[in-house]
Every structure is written in C-alpha cells, then in structure tokens.
Amino acid sequence: MTPIKVNGINNLAKFFILIIFLFLIMGCKTIKQEIISHNYIIGEKNKGDLFYNNSIDVSIDFLGNTIYDDLSKVKKSELKNELRDIKEVSVDNLILHSKKTDNEIDMYYFFEKVENPIDTLSHERLIKNDIINGVAICEKQKGEKKIICLTKSLKDRGNVLKINNENMQRVYLDSTNLKKITSFNIFNYYTNNCINFLQGRDKLQKAPFTNPKRSIWKKTFIMTLNSFMSNNKEYNELISNHENEKDHFDKTIKLALSLKEVKKNDSVFTSISELAKNNQVIMLNEGHFYPKHRLFAMQLLDILKQNGFTYLSIEAFTPNREGDTTIIPNSKNGLYTKEPYFGHFVRKAKKMGFNILGHENYDNSIDREIGQAKNIMKILENDPKAKIFVYAGHGHIEKEGKKRLMASYFREFSKINPITINQEALISKTKENLVLIPKSVFEKDTLMKSSADYFVINNLETNLTRVYPDKAFKTVFVQNNDFKNFSKEELLLEIYNGNEYEQTKNTDLLVPIYASLVEPKGNKIEFSFPVGKYHVVIKSVNNQRFQFDNFEVK
C-alpha cells in the first residue's frame, strides 16, 4: 500500500512526527509542574518561615520578612528573562523563589536528581561568585539529592557570597522541618499569610503527617475551611457525617413542636424580642463551621437594637486598634470573620451603630474562660447599664456543668443572670427554618447536657437573598481564555464590595461578601449577584489568580 503524500510529506511520516512531538512535550514536563504542588511553607511566630517539600524530602528555614513567588502562575519566559545571564542553572529545575522585603535580596532554589552518586555524604561547593553583578551560586548534595541556591543582591554585592552561604546553611536535604508541620500551622498559614481557602484545604488534605499528634484538629480545620466556601459538595458531606455523629433528640423535638411555648419561624424573633426587653445580657453560641449560625445572629440584631442593645462582644474577635481607619470587618479582626456570612454579621452590626468588641482572653496567666468573662465585665465597668449581645463559640455560654465556662464566671462576677441561647445542640430537619425551644422541654431528656435557657433549631439556607432582601439579582459572568485550562477543576470565586476595595486595594485584607466554588464553562464563569459594583477574584488550588476590577452588575 502506497502512503498518500500531502505537500511532500506522507501521512505516515506526519503520524510519526506527531508521536515524536507528543513525546517531547511529555518529556519536557518541568520540575515546576511535578514538584511544586508538594511545597509547604508555614510561618512560625517570631521565627520566620519553614519550607518542606515531601516529594523530594527537602527542608529550608527562612528568616523573617520573606515573600514567595507562586511559580504556578509565573511564566517560564519571565523566569528565563530574570536569569538570562546566568548559565549555571536551569529554570526547569526551579522549585522556590523567595525575596527579602527589607534589603532587596532574591533567592532561587533549584533541585536536581543526581544519577549514580559516588556516596551518601553531604557535599557543598561554590559554583559562582560574581561581585560585579551581585550573584552567588552554591550547591549542596547528599546522595541523589542536590539543591542549588542562587542569591542575587544588587544592594549589597560585596557580601552576596556571605549571604548565599548563610542561605545554604539553612538548607537540609532531609525532613528536618517535617516534624514542625502541624494541622494548625498549615491552617494558619493559608488563612493569614497566603489567603486561599481552596489551596489551604488541599494542603491539609495532602499534608505529609507521620505523627498523629501533629494531625490533631485536621478534620476540624478542613471542615472550617470548607465552610468559608459556598456551593461546596465536600462541605455538605462533611457536615452530614458530623451531624450523624451527634446526639439526636428526635423524640423530644417531635413532641415539642406541638407545644405552645415552642416558637417557630417569625415568632422566634418575637419571643427573643420579649426577652431582650427585660434582660441586660443575651448570649448566643455558634458552631465555628456553620455560616447559617452567623446568618441567624445577623437577623437578631434588629430586634436587639430596638430593645436597647448597643454592645456586641464577639469571641476570637480583635477590634481595630485606636486610630486604625481600616474598614471593619477585615482579615485582621479574627479568624472566623474571614467567612463571608460572619463578615455580613459584623458589617450590619457596624452599620446599625453597635459598639463591636472582642472578649477573647489572650492572657496565658489566667484560665481562658475567666479571662473571657472578665473582658465582658470591662464593658459593664465602663457602662453599668449597658445591654450586651455576647456571641461565642460552642460551650462558652454554659452557666452550669462539670467544667466552669465563661457564662458561669460572668454570672458570678456581674451578678447578672444572662439569657443563653444554644443554636448548636439541636440538629433536626424540621419543615420550619427556625424553632425556639425553652430548656424546660428537655428536663427529662437525659441526652441533653447543655444548661442553656433556650435552644434553636437552625435550618436557614445561607444565600445572599437573605443578606440583600431588597436588591435585584442578575445573572452575569466573568471571562478569561485561561479558564479553559480549568474545565474539570473547582475554582474559588470571591466577590468583594466595590467601595471596600476602593478604600484598601487589598483583597488579602478584605472579607469577601461572597465566596463560592465554581467550575468554568469554557472561558466563562457565571454567577447571580445583586445590582452594584464589585471587585472579583478567581483563585485556583495552586493560587493562580484572575482579577476583575470595577465589575458592575446592572
């Protein structure tokens, strides 16, 4: 059979050329793609940062004031241009690029696998010392692993070799930093230093833990990160499993729903309004991975304000320092305020004129519960007639029990018996969105351990129509051809208030008004949003970011 020729090249030859081309493309897969996804960078307070890559088992210590490039979104051509005059290294082998923010030092780290090493000892050697251009290169090898460190310093060219040697001393071709990685510091890093909840979730899921002690709270932190992102199948599954493990009060609840003293939907607010008239302090708790709990708290603000409440005291909340004009809420106000619905809760309280304070205890010399109670007491010391809405997590609102908690100490210190409302204890899929049940209903239920005065069944659906009930919503989209690269991948859509963004120009400081997992449709991402002006950010799991400024929904 004679092959058919087209433009001088037959189809069989074209087929082989295509195979060779595909082979070359696959063979040129860079270290950046294969290894960088295994990078872990975590901050240790007052100690700088730690780096560990579990795929190559390499550790690096960094001093403070260090920032890092996200190599997944840096173009290879840009890197080659940066290093165009340096022939001793290959951009394909780059695994980390860091910069010192205070003295203009760039540090590049390259990894090479050594074939047939002569021994397993550690070796170091100088490759280049270019004082004129401020470039020094050293390498460290141990067995098959080799790290090459390139340091550039235009400001201090004469000391560039010394700086490079100091950098190399903090490179370990082993798991030195692995033992320092915990669930908490991974969670903390990706919610404070590199704010990307999607990336943080991925890092926690893949964390190279070998010691169970370091993975304590891993499940809780993954659930918390998921709760920051709407339209989230993983969150729904985790919450379902979590709720299945809790005590259920189905029999008691079923009987309670027909009782006169049990209130439903709008009558819940009427009942709490009556309580607010005659009580000085109302405490409400939350589960830290339930945005719907913040939505209920936000809805309570209207009736509390109408009944003279002017203070809102929040657990784990840090108010802006005096003279700080940064908007509230912001990411420095606390961990949970970064969740969009917590942000809406705080925004509304601020707009309504509440004095927003934090009662968290940061004094390690006293018990946390005592410290929290004393911090709330400070409000009464300054304003004895103050009416205070206390928003706390989990069991801090308990006035009785084997272990004394914040509400118990507050009652003792203040001589005020606060009304306590528990919206965490009861899980029941009632047809009502809200149900308020007094504690008397549970007097004979041995499963109930909480001493709260009232219990809320919260089946509210978290959606923006509850936050913006008077606004018109429109279906809109953002567009970028690179979205096609994420056709089967979840991206994080974050939308920021346009006025807040104009004041700060810093999305890492702001709290988004909406955060949702989305999948692109071709080169578009669609969403429904209220009429207004916004700043839109799309983030990938590798922290590739797409920004859309002055985005308007008309």
Side-chain angles (χ1 to χ4, degrees):
M1 178 176 177
T2 304
I4 301 173
K5 290 187 177 182
V6 180
N7 295 330
I9 303 176
N10 62 46
N11 284 347
L12 186 60
K14 281 190 170 185
F15 173 76
F16 282 114
I17 289 171
L18 178 61
I19 293 297
I20 292 169
F21 175 74
L22 291 173
F23 175 78
L24 288 172
I25 290 295
M26 294 175 66
C28 289
K29 192 175 183 181
T30 65
I31 291 288
K32 182 160 68 76
Q33 294 172 312
E34 296 170 353
I35 292 182
I36 284 178
S37 62
H38 295 271
N39 283 356
Y40 284 84
I41 302 171
I42 56 174
E44 280 203 322
K45 192 174 182 180
N46 302 323
K47 293 183 181 179
D49 294 338
L50 308 173
F51 169 89
Y52 179 67
N53 186 299
N54 62 306
S55 68
I56 56 177
D57 198 28
V58 168
S59 304
I60 307 173
D61 286 340
F62 290 96
L63 300 179
N65 300 320
T66 303
I67 58 175
Y68 310 90
D69 263 355
D70 179 4
L71 297 181
S72 66
K73 64 178 184 179
V74 177
K75 293 181 179 179
K76 191 173 176 181
S77 58
E78 293 176 2
L79 290 169
K80 284 188 172 182
N81 186 55
E82 286 180 27
L83 304 173
R84 62 185 178 277
D85 298 323
I86 303 170
K87 308 303 180 185
E88 292 84 0
V89 294
S90 169
V91 168
D92 287 346
N93 295 334
L94 183 66
I95 61 168
L96 186 66
H97 176 210
S98 62
K99 299 179 182 180
K100 297 292 290 180
T101 58
D102 51 359
N103 54 3
E104 301 177 6
I105 296 174
D106 280 81
M107 295 160 285
Y108 301 82
Y109 296 87
F110 305 82
F111 174 79
E112 293 182 8
K113 186 174 181 181
V114 179
E115 300 293 339
N116 303 316
I118 58 174
D119 57 43
T120 58
L121 301 176
S122 182
H123 302 274
E124 294 185 32
R125 76 180 180 97
L126 174 65
I127 297 176
K128 186 172 188 173
N129 182 24
D130 181 355
I131 296 176
I132 295 175
N133 293 302
V135 174
I137 306 174
C138 294
E139 69 174 33
K140 180 180 286 189
Q141 179 186 341
K142 185 177 181 182
E144 293 183 339
K145 292 184 286 187
K146 180 192 291 185
I147 289 289
I148 300 172
C149 177
L150 185 160
T151 302
K152 291 173 64 178
S153 178
L154 297 178
K155 186 177 181 180
D156 195 5
R157 303 182 192 196
N159 286 319
V160 69
L161 179 59
K162 178 185 176 183
I163 297 168
N164 194 77
N165 286 337
E166 291 172 351
N167 293 336
M168 287 300 292
Q169 292 303 310
R170 294 190 291 270
V171 173
Y172 308 96
L173 301 181
D174 55 35
S175 55
T176 294
N177 283 336
L178 175 58
K179 63 180 178 292
K180 302 175 185 176
I181 297 177
T182 66
S183 294
F184 174 75
N185 54 29
I186 292 175
F187 175 81
N188 190 54
Y189 185 82
Y190 288 97
T191 53
N192 287 305
N193 298 59
C194 174
I195 299 179
N196 184 334
F197 309 131
L198 182 60
Q199 187 178 33
R201 181 183 77 174
D202 181 68
K203 291 294 184 182
L204 269 172
Q205 289 170 334
K206 298 176 180 177
F209 296 129
T210 54
N211 185 338
K213 290 183 179 179
R214 289 187 291 107
S215 63
I216 293 175
W217 301 107
K218 176 179 176 179
K219 179 180 176 182
T220 299
F221 288 139
I222 289 176
M223 192 141 51
T224 302
L225 282 170
N226 271 297
S227 73
F228 289 13
M229 303 178 286
S230 299
N231 189 33
N232 191 333
K233 294 178 182 178
E234 182 174 311
Y235 172 74
N236 294 338
E237 183 177 347
L238 288 170
I239 283 295
S240 177
N241 293 338
H242 169 73
E243 293 179 350
N244 287 337
E245 294 171 0
K246 295 190 69 170
D247 290 331
H248 288 262
F249 304 88
D250 293 341
K251 185 176 179 180
T252 303
I253 291 171
K254 186 176 181 181
L255 293 171
L257 290 174
S258 61
L259 298 176
K260 183 179 180 180
E261 62 265 35
V262 172
K263 307 302 178 182
K264 304 169 188 176
N265 295 329
D266 289 344
S267 62
V268 169
F269 298 102
T270 304
S271 182
I272 294 177
S273 180
E274 289 299 315
L275 292 170
K277 285 180 183 178
N278 304 310
N279 289 277
Q280 191 173 356
V281 179
I282 290 180
M283 295 185 176
L284 174 70
N285 75 346
E286 71 159 26
H288 290 319
F289 31 76
Y290 279 107
K292 65 183 180 181
H293 288 179
R294 288 108 192 214
L295 184 60
F296 176 61
M298 184 187 81
Q299 293 176 339
L300 281 182
L301 292 173
D302 291 310
I303 61 169
L304 293 177
K305 186 73 176 197
Q306 291 166 15
N307 287 285
F309 280 71
T310 56
Y311 290 88
L312 170 62
S313 185
I314 306 175
E315 177 191 325
F317 182 85
T318 304
N320 288 2
R321 293 182 179 179
E322 189 173 349
D324 185 351
T325 58
T326 305
I327 62 167
I328 297 175
N330 64 74
S331 63
K332 294 181 179 180
N333 290 145
L335 168 62
Y336 302 114
T337 53
K338 297 169 188 174
E339 189 276 310
Y341 286 91
F342 208 132
H344 289 304
F345 170 42
V346 175
R347 278 188 197 91
K348 182 174 179 179
K350 180 189 175 187
K351 185 176 181 180
M352 294 179 67
F354 277 87
N355 191 344
I356 307 172
L357 303 169
H359 61 261
E360 189 54 76
N361 172 42
Y362 298 106
D363 184 350
N364 294 328
S365 66
I366 63 173
D367 180 84
R368 184 187 181 198
E369 306 297 325
I370 294 174
Q372 288 189 355
K374 286 186 174 181
N375 286 333
I376 299 171
M377 281 296 300
K378 291 177 183 177
I379 300 174
L380 294 172
E381 290 166 4
N382 293 324
D383 185 358
K385 295 184 179 181
K387 300 191 79 169
I388 311 168
F389 179 26
V390 177
Y391 193 64
H394 304 293
H396 295 291
I397 66 165
E398 298 296 339
K399 293 182 284 190
E400 299 172 5
K402 293 181 180 179
K403 175 176 167 48
R404 293 194 69 185
L405 298 169
M406 176 271 290
S408 171
Y409 287 112
F410 175 80
R411 181 170 61 176
E412 176 190 338
F413 299 155
S414 67
K415 310 305 179 188
I416 296 173
N417 185 21
I419 296 296
T420 55
I421 304 172
N422 189 327
Q423 64 171 334
E424 183 193 28
L426 300 186
I427 304 295
S428 181
K429 300 300 181 185
T430 61
K431 65 180 181 180
E432 296 84 7
N433 287 329
L434 293 169
V435 179
L436 181 69
I437 306 177
K439 71 175 179 180
S440 58
V441 171
F442 294 95
E443 284 179 345
K444 296 180 181 180
D445 195 319
T446 57
L447 286 176
M448 179 55 71
K449 308 301 180 187
S450 174
S451 62
D453 298 312
Y454 293 88
F455 297 88
V456 169
I457 299 174
N458 183 340
N459 287 323
L460 291 171
E461 181 183 350
T462 48
N463 60 59
L464 288 180
T465 58
R466 294 185 181 276
V467 179
Y468 305 110
D470 301 323
K471 286 197 173 186
F473 281 68
K474 299 286 184 68
T475 298
V476 291
F477 64 86
V478 289
Q479 187 171 358
N480 189 299
N481 285 333
D482 287 343
F483 288 162
K484 295 177 182 178
N485 300 328
F486 302 93
S487 59
K488 295 183 179 180
E489 184 176 330
E490 285 185 319
L491 297 176
L492 175 58
L493 164 69
E494 292 183 337
I495 303 177
Y496 297 86
N497 178 282
N499 291 330
E500 292 181 356
Y501 180 73
E502 284 303 313
Q503 291 180 56
T504 63
K505 299 290 185 180
N506 184 354
T507 57
D508 284 343
L509 179 65
L510 294 175
V511 177
I513 57 177
Y514 184 66
S516 175
L517 296 180
V518 294
E519 290 187 11
K521 296 179 180 178
N523 64 350
K524 294 181 181 180
I525 291 176
E526 288 186 351
F527 52 93
S528 180
F529 224 68
V531 171
K533 292 184 179 181
Y534 307 97
H535 181 78
V536 180
V537 181
I538 311 291
K539 299 176 183 176
S540 76
V541 72
N542 289 322
N543 207 30
Q544 184 170 350
R545 299 189 180 200
F546 305 89
Q547 302 204 51
F548 302 85
D549 200 359
N550 296 318
F551 184 86
E552 188 170 1
V553 181
K554 299 179 180 180

